[in-house]
């Protein structure tokens, strides 16, 4: 499944993106997903919960690509 996300500004924090895209129910759940190693950014596992995601980057979690 692919979800499109319109970025307002130059970046969004990873945990917030997971919440805004509907993958996580809350920012806290998004942080837990990152800590558990469930999230990749541009194909690499991302461990920074507040990593800055910029336009053009691909985020994947639980079978959904943003």
């Amino acid at each position: 499944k692919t979800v499109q996300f319109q970025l307002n500004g130059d970046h969004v924090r990873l945990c917030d993106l997971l919440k805004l895209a509907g993958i996580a129910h809350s920012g806290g759940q998004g942080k837990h997903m990152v800590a558990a190693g469930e999230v990749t950014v541009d194909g690499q596992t991302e461990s920074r919960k507040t990593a800055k995601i910029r336009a053009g980057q691909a985020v994947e979690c639980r079978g959904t690509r943003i």
Side-chain angles (χ1 to χ4, degrees):
K1 174 179 167 186
T2 301
V3 174
Q4 294 292 322
F5 180 79
Q6 182 65 44
L7 185 62
N8 296 322
D10 93 11
H11 71 273
V12 63
R13 296 183 330 160
L14 180 56
C15 57
D16 293 336
L17 175 63
L18 295 173
K19 178 179 69 173
L20 294 170
I23 296 173
H25 298 294
S26 67
Q29 183 185 21
K31 288 178 182 180
H32 178 74
M33 291 172 165
V34 174
E38 297 181 40
V39 183
T40 63
V41 176
D42 294 333
Q44 302 294 316
T45 301
E46 180 58 73
S47 60
R48 298 171 297 156
K49 300 171 188 84
T50 58
K52 294 178 181 178
I53 305 302
R54 301 184 192 296
Q57 288 187 293
V59 175
E60 291 188 48
C61 181
R62 296 187 174 177
T64 300
R65 180 179 174 94
I66 307 167

